[in-house]
Amino acid sequence: MCLCIHASCVVPGSASTSSKQKREQRADQPAKRPSDHSIHASLQTSHSHVLYHKLGQSRSRPLHCHASLDQQLNTTSKPKVVGLGSVGLDYLAQVAKFPQPDEKLRTEKMETRGGGNCANALTAAARLGLDSYLVSKVGDDSIGQEIEQELLSDGVKTHFLLRAQGRPSPFTYIIVDKQGGTRTCIHTPGAAYSPQDLSQSTISQALADAQLVYFDGRLTESAVMLARAARQQRVPVLVEAERLRPNLEMLLGEADYVCTSAHFPQQWTGETALGDALHTTLSRLPRVKFVITTLGRRGSVLIARTDSQEATQKAVLEDLLHSMLDEVGSSNHAADGNGNGRGDGDGSSLLGCTARSGTPVKAGQVTSTDKPFRLRLQRNPGDSPEATAAAEKAAEAEASANADSTNASAYGRKASTAAATADSDLIARVTVASAATLPQEAVEDTTGAGDAFIGTILYGVIHKLPHDKMLRLAALVAACKCTALGARPGLPHAHDIDADLLTA
């Protein structure tokens, strides 16, 4: 089968003419690199200053060096967030419709942009005003330099970004189907950030003054190390659960906050109903304060655990979610009678932001339970064998998709987390928010919308935003992102957003 996408002026891998020229200039003037066993203290440009050292036997190196990293890490008064996870380069080809097998078609747009869940989320957080630090690895090539420069231009600190000598940087080909509103990703990984790369010095420097640490669910062995160190220092941990990954359950066990994709709770728990899956997820993770699940165009759900004894009302969580989603959906549709959420009176529907393209984007609707509920499962107690079998099947499918079939057990739940307590009532508050609204013709690309959402949650947790306001703001930032091609160009800055949405 042949799948060809033709761009009149741009070839994937070369980005654009200006991008290619920049790479060639950097290739012609390589930075001077010290030997593996030396520690250098030379002052570099103002973009990034990093202590250059060898970590054990690793051939990975930080991008820059500086005489006093501790001094560089304490020059800002912005709240500090640290993220460990993926970073890369995206080659985005926008087409009128998704191609059929053996079909040839031309791109409408072709762009090269920075990508990776963790890097995208930290960029969103940086544009909102956080001091973002990325812990990750790229290759020792010009693409790695391009990745770093884009991060730096958005204020994301790269002190802990390593270079893998002789290895390429990770990249992804993305087909953006404008007609169908979908994007298809074909990823080529680079060298993984290993536990050997995470020195005690890096851990100490990264966590110094940090108010939150974020993990995108990848690089789990290294992530667990940093998460446990964060917990020892009482730094809160937020974990993203986008899909089943090896040993992700171990990382989830260290989390204070969890954000999931729409399908993850059901895949992980094997439960059929979303409400049952979220109930079981919180029951398995007793440390977690809240779980957020994004539901695409339907909005998002936040379930916050509480120890309150005021929970006298009882409800089946699945039924409650359906009712609340219908409520915010109807409210959003009624904003102007056409379902596009454009309010024309006073009230919260006027709050929003101006996208980078100039398109006005309106915040959606939100509803919350006024008191804690005793939440129950929809299914009958004792039906867990079917859920267990479904979860095992999902783990096997995910392992197979990753060419890792022999390791399927690492993708699923462990026996120790079996739902012994899942059948009991869960005392929690529930908040449901609709998606933000913008004209359909303004939607360019949904790549990175979830990352934009999570980057905003990082901001909301650190600034202690009320849950209802945090969900509305996150949906708004995600919608703004969708007005431009790529994960980052459409991300708003704080000054683009109505101030009332940014404060508690």
Side-chain angles (χ1 to χ4, degrees):
M1 182 181 74
C2 173
L3 178 62
C4 302
I5 299 178
H6 174 70
S8 298
C9 302
V10 186
V11 177
S14 64
S16 63
T17 302
S18 59
S19 177
K20 181 177 181 180
Q21 290 173 343
K22 290 178 182 178
R23 292 186 190 175
E24 289 174 346
Q25 289 170 1
R26 286 194 292 268
D28 291 339
Q29 298 176 343
K32 182 179 179 181
R33 298 189 182 279
S35 63
D36 280 350
H37 297 282
S38 61
I39 298 179
H40 289 251
S42 60
L43 184 62
Q44 299 291 332
T45 60
S46 61
H47 282 312
S48 178
H49 311 280
V50 178
L51 187 63
Y52 205 156
H53 59 231
K54 181 177 179 182
L55 303 173
Q57 297 302 312
S58 171
R59 291 178 61 81
S60 301
R61 302 178 178 184
L63 288 170
H64 295 292
C65 52
H66 193 268
S68 177
L69 180 57
D70 289 335
Q71 182 180 6
Q72 288 295 318
L73 295 178
N74 292 282
T75 58
T76 178
S77 60
K78 295 179 181 179
K80 178 180 176 180
V81 60
V82 177
L84 187 155
S86 62
V87 63
L89 200 67
D90 291 345
Y91 298 104
L92 298 120
Q94 187 181 75
V95 295
K97 64 181 182 64
F98 193 82
Q100 297 296 317
D102 293 322
E103 184 180 8
K104 296 182 180 180
L105 68 161
R106 290 179 180 269
T107 57
E108 293 186 345
K109 291 182 182 178
M110 176 71 194
E111 294 191 12
T112 305
R113 301 289 184 183
N117 290 34
C118 188
N120 294 339
L122 290 178
T123 298
R127 290 195 183 186
L128 292 175
L130 298 187
D131 197 25
S132 298
Y133 287 75
L134 174 65
V135 182
S136 194
K137 182 187 288 188
V138 295
D140 190 23
D141 53 14
S142 59
I143 293 178
Q145 293 182 12
E146 186 170 343
I147 289 170
E148 184 210 14
Q149 289 304 314
E150 184 172 341
L151 290 168
L152 292 171
S153 68
D154 269 312
V156 178
K157 305 298 197 313
T158 59
H159 300 78
F160 311 112
L161 183 63
L162 304 184
R163 298 293 293 274
Q165 290 190 71
R167 299 291 299 275
S169 294
F171 62 91
T172 304
Y173 290 104
I174 303 177
I175 303 172
V176 179
D177 174 8
K178 190 168 185 181
Q179 183 184 70
T182 65
R183 84 282 187 275
T184 302
C185 303
I186 306 171
H187 180 64
T188 300
Y193 191 99
S194 69
Q196 290 72 33
D197 294 322
L198 194 60
S199 69
Q200 201 57 48
S201 175
T202 296
I203 292 174
S204 298
Q205 292 164 353
L207 295 180
D209 300 318
Q211 295 190 29
L212 185 64
V213 182
Y214 157 60
F215 302 94
D216 68 4
R218 294 168 172 82
L219 309 171
T220 48
E221 290 186 22
S222 301
V224 168
M225 286 179 58
L226 186 58
R228 288 175 175 170
R231 293 195 64 83
Q232 290 176 356
Q233 298 186 32
R234 297 184 178 181
V235 180
V237 171
L238 187 148
V239 175
E240 174 187 358
E242 178 188 31
R243 56 191 289 189
L244 299 176
R245 299 185 190 280
N247 303 312
L248 176 57
E249 183 173 292
M250 190 181 301
L251 180 59
L252 288 169
E254 303 297 331
D256 296 287
Y257 311 98
V258 173
C259 292
T260 85
S261 62
H263 58 267
F264 177 83
Q266 287 150 301
Q267 281 190 321
W268 188 46
T269 65
E271 300 285 357
T272 302
L274 175 63
D276 287 357
L278 289 171
H279 188 294
T280 303
T281 296
L282 271 164
S283 297
R284 289 182 185 172
L285 303 173
R287 288 178 175 172
V288 169
K289 297 176 181 177
F290 69 59
V291 170
I292 294 175
T293 295
T294 58
L295 302 174
R297 294 180 180 179
R298 297 176 63 201
S300 58
V301 171
L302 183 152
I303 303 177
R305 192 193 312 274
T306 176
D307 296 327
S308 174
Q309 299 303 311
E310 301 174 10
T312 58
Q313 301 181 75
K314 294 185 178 181
V316 173
L317 180 54
E318 177 71 6
D319 295 340
L320 184 61
L321 289 181
H322 274 293
S323 175
M324 295 175 75
L325 285 166
D326 287 345
E327 179 182 344
V328 296
S330 298
S331 298
N332 226 31
H333 184 85
D336 71 347
N338 295 313
N340 61 17
R342 297 180 188 171
D344 57 0
D346 56 5
S348 62
S349 63
L350 287 175
L351 292 174
C353 74
T354 301
R356 310 293 291 171
S357 63
T359 302
V361 184
K362 303 301 180 185
Q365 306 297 315
V366 65
T367 185
S368 302
T369 55
D370 54 354
K371 293 181 179 180
F373 270 66
R374 289 187 176 275
L375 301 171
R376 294 175 294 171
L377 294 167
Q378 180 186 65
R379 67 165 171 81
N380 294 324
D383 284 350
S384 57
E386 289 79 5
T388 299
E392 290 175 351
K393 185 176 180 179
E396 290 170 0
E398 195 66 46
S400 177
N402 287 340
D404 195 20
S405 297
T406 60
N407 193 33
S409 61
Y411 287 75
R413 63 180 183 177
K414 304 295 186 291
S416 60
T417 63
T421 62
D423 290 341
S424 61
D425 288 350
L426 172 69
I427 301 177
R429 294 177 183 267
V430 180
T431 303
V432 172
S434 70
T437 55
L438 72 163
Q440 181 60 40
E441 60 272 16
V443 178
E444 286 286 325
D445 177 22
T446 61
T447 301
D451 305 332
F453 187 99
I454 290 177
T456 311
I457 297 299
L458 302 179
Y459 173 92
V461 169
I462 286 178
H463 285 284
K464 296 180 171 57
L465 294 186
H467 293 162
D468 54 352
K469 183 174 285 190
M470 182 163 60
L471 289 187
R472 294 184 77 212
L473 178 63
L476 184 72
V477 172
C480 286
K481 185 246 79 68
C482 293
T483 61
L485 188 61
R488 303 178 195 167
L491 291 170
H493 290 81
H495 59 73
D496 298 318
I497 300 171
D498 284 336
D500 287 346
L501 287 170
L502 294 167
T503 58

